[in-house]
Amino acid sequence: MSRPMYEMEPLFELDLPKPPPAPTKKATPKRRVEPAPPAPAVDPEVTFLHTADWQLGMTRRFLPGESQHTYAAARDAAVVRIGEVAVETGAEFVVVCGDVFDDPRVSTRIIRRTLDSLGDYPVPVYLLPGNHDPLDATSVYTSAEFVRACPQNVHVLDKPGVVRIRDGVSIVAAPWHTKHPSSDLIADQLAVLGPSDDIRIVVGHGGMDSLSPNPDPSIVASAGVDAATAAGLVDYIALGDRHSVTSVGDTGRVWYSGAPEVTAFDNVETEPGHVLQVTLRRGGDRSIDVQRHRVGQWAFRTLTQDMNSIADVDRLRETLSALTDKPQTVVQLGLVGTLTVAENVALDELFDEFGDRFAGLTTWDREHNLVVVSDDADLDTLDLQGYAARAAAEIAQRAADEPEARSALSLLLRLAGSRA
């Protein structure tokens, strides 16, 4: 039986070659990753501004009304200028070491305008209550006006102790809660401090025994602050109360900043009108740098001179004429000597003239001892006849012993336009 056609046998078989095996991947050796070198250690560092004793609301009895307003405006301007210095120096914050306000009863206008100025600062501001503005029952810092107007960057150091500013930087606050503390507030804080890696800045207020020894229990003990800074327990002690820039002790780390605007004559305040820029570094290179920046505009000058002739009056005129910035300068004069009535009239005219040109012109009571005597020459320049001449001669004769007669003769000479 034949096989069907569809079951035909294949004519031949193909013997196809086998594909070559896939190449084997050689394992790549892993690269060793070295650990990154540690970042170089950076010593902690901070720059801040130290100021104190603004005593906003202060008045000066020797200033006439118009000058009083100009002086108050200059004090406000000094506060604004401190904020500008903070920008220029790259300061991280500002500490005001007591007596921001002159009195707890300062006007609401001063409170609000001051806080407006501080709110414009680009950095935090730390205010310490001092002896003029303690944190007592009448404190300006707890008043409704202050609390409502206080901007977010303004902080009152109302509790004693450590305040952390940022990592590595702390303030040690010693605020006044009464006008008459019963202890050295700074020593109280130093006594409870332990070691720390933080840069520590003590913010305090008060007199120091090495500068003005007295039995007041609140006076700051210089030995204690020197020991604390030398040992590295704290790095800087920022003080208020003394109105002149003053470095205290041998460490260079204890300073009074002084008032930002002058408050007393230069026989008392030798260097007011500044704010201090302080840079502190801790670690391997523990260092300090303190720089002064002028923010005040006014000057209170003291001048003393012997007065015994009209030539001395002319010499005083030259001295006063040579002083600059007269509208922002107050002068107190300590004049000692003897002048005739006519010479004293010339001096009175000088006072009138320069009283208008300066912000203020006054006498220094403690050192002013000027005697006015009558002299026959006082009448020489008066063109008087008859009864007037006889009356003037009688006044001149009595002027030797009677102050009232000398005053009358002075007035007569001034009215007559006389000058020796």
Side-chain angles (χ1 to χ4, degrees):
M1 179 182 208
S2 63
R3 301 171 81 180
M5 293 183 64
Y6 57 81
E7 291 184 358
M8 292 177 61
E9 293 285 338
L11 298 177
F12 53 87
E13 293 183 0
L14 294 175
D15 190 11
L16 296 174
K18 292 182 179 180
T24 314
K25 255 187 183 180
K26 289 186 180 179
T28 307
K30 290 186 178 177
R31 182 179 296 172
R32 185 178 175 187
V33 179
E34 297 290 339
V42 177
D43 291 338
E45 182 178 316
V46 66
T47 295
F48 64 97
L49 297 187
H50 167 198
T51 180
D53 300 292
W54 294 0
Q55 291 188 222
L56 300 170
M58 170 187 282
T59 58
R60 301 284 75 179
R61 61 176 177 75
F62 45 75
L63 289 176
E66 181 181 345
S67 293
Q68 192 73 253
H69 293 304
T70 309
Y71 176 65
R75 296 172 66 74
D76 293 340
V79 172
V80 173
R81 176 65 183 139
I82 290 170
E84 295 169 350
V85 174
V87 175
E88 295 165 4
T89 59
E92 292 188 37
F93 55 90
V94 177
V95 294
V96 189
C97 301
D99 292 358
V100 179
F101 300 100
D102 192 50
D103 190 276
R105 295 159 297 191
V106 69
S107 72
T108 57
R109 179 176 182 271
I110 291 174
I111 293 172
R112 290 171 177 141
R113 293 186 66 166
T114 300
L115 291 174
D116 281 347
S117 296
L118 296 184
D120 291 336
Y121 282 25
V123 296
V125 185
Y126 296 89
L127 307 180
L128 183 83
N131 65 299
H132 275 262
D133 53 3
L135 202 66
D136 57 14
T138 64
S139 176
V140 63
Y141 299 110
T142 57
S143 67
E145 292 78 16
F146 185 95
V147 172
R148 281 197 295 263
C150 189
Q152 290 186 347
N153 67 317
V154 174
H155 311 277
V156 179
L157 298 172
D158 54 357
K159 295 180 179 62
V162 177
V163 178
R164 199 83 187 277
I165 302 301
R166 63 163 170 82
D167 286 347
V169 180
S170 295
I171 281 176
V172 182
W176 287 48
H177 286 81
T178 170
K179 281 184 173 290
H180 304 287
S182 58
S183 65
D184 175 351
L185 300 177
I186 292 177
D188 293 345
Q189 295 309 306
L190 295 177
V192 298
L193 285 181
S196 173
D197 292 331
D198 277 8
I199 293 175
R200 281 176 170 166
I201 302 150
V202 175
V203 178
H205 188 88
M208 187 165 290
D209 58 4
S210 60
L211 298 175
S212 52
N214 67 71
D216 188 334
S218 68
I219 197 162
V220 181
S222 57
V225 297
D226 284 347
T229 53
L233 183 65
V234 297
D235 297 273
Y236 184 79
I237 296 184
L239 294 172
D241 187 63
R242 190 176 180 87
H243 290 197
S244 297
V245 175
T246 308
S247 175
V248 186
D250 300 324
T251 66
R253 293 176 177 270
V254 184
W255 285 78
Y256 287 93
S257 65
E261 188 59 87
V262 61
T263 64
F265 286 99
D266 54 8
N267 61 297
V268 176
E269 290 181 10
T270 56
E271 199 172 358
H274 294 83
V275 63
L276 299 182
Q277 172 194 346
V278 183
T279 299
L280 300 171
R281 184 179 293 108
R282 240 187 198 239
D285 180 22
R286 184 173 185 252
S287 62
I288 179 171
D289 180 59
V290 179
Q291 298 183 33
R292 309 172 193 202
H293 295 268
R294 179 81 183 171
V295 293
Q297 304 174 41
W298 279 55
F300 289 176
R301 298 287 304 276
T302 300
L303 299 176
T304 59
Q305 184 177 307
D306 290 337
M307 302 291 291
N308 294 296
S309 67
I310 193 62
D312 293 327
V313 176
D314 292 336
R315 183 160 56 93
L316 178 60
R317 176 181 294 278
E318 292 173 1
T319 300
L320 294 175
S321 296
L323 294 179
T324 59
D325 296 326
K326 291 181 179 62
Q328 297 176 128
T329 300
V330 183
V331 178
Q332 69 171 355
L333 295 173
L335 306 179
V336 178
T338 302
L339 296 178
T340 67
V341 172
E343 291 165 349
N344 191 60
V345 166
L347 181 62
D348 287 342
E349 291 171 348
L350 180 148
F351 265 81
D352 288 345
E353 175 189 345
F354 285 93
D356 289 339
R357 296 173 68 180
F358 285 99
L361 182 65
T362 186
T363 55
W364 186 12
D365 293 340
R366 193 183 78 187
E367 299 294 331
H368 190 76
N369 186 14
L370 194 61
V371 178
V372 180
V373 297
S374 177
D375 187 274
D376 292 340
D378 288 336
L379 300 180
D380 289 348
T381 55
L382 290 177
D383 186 16
L384 299 177
Q385 296 178 354
Y387 175 77
R390 290 193 299 274
E394 182 180 348
I395 292 173
Q397 185 176 8
R398 293 171 57 186
D401 302 311
E402 301 177 18
E404 295 82 359
R406 286 197 294 274
S407 297
L409 185 56
S410 294
L411 178 59
L412 181 61
L413 291 170
R414 294 192 72 175
L415 292 173
S418 172
R419 185 175 187 275

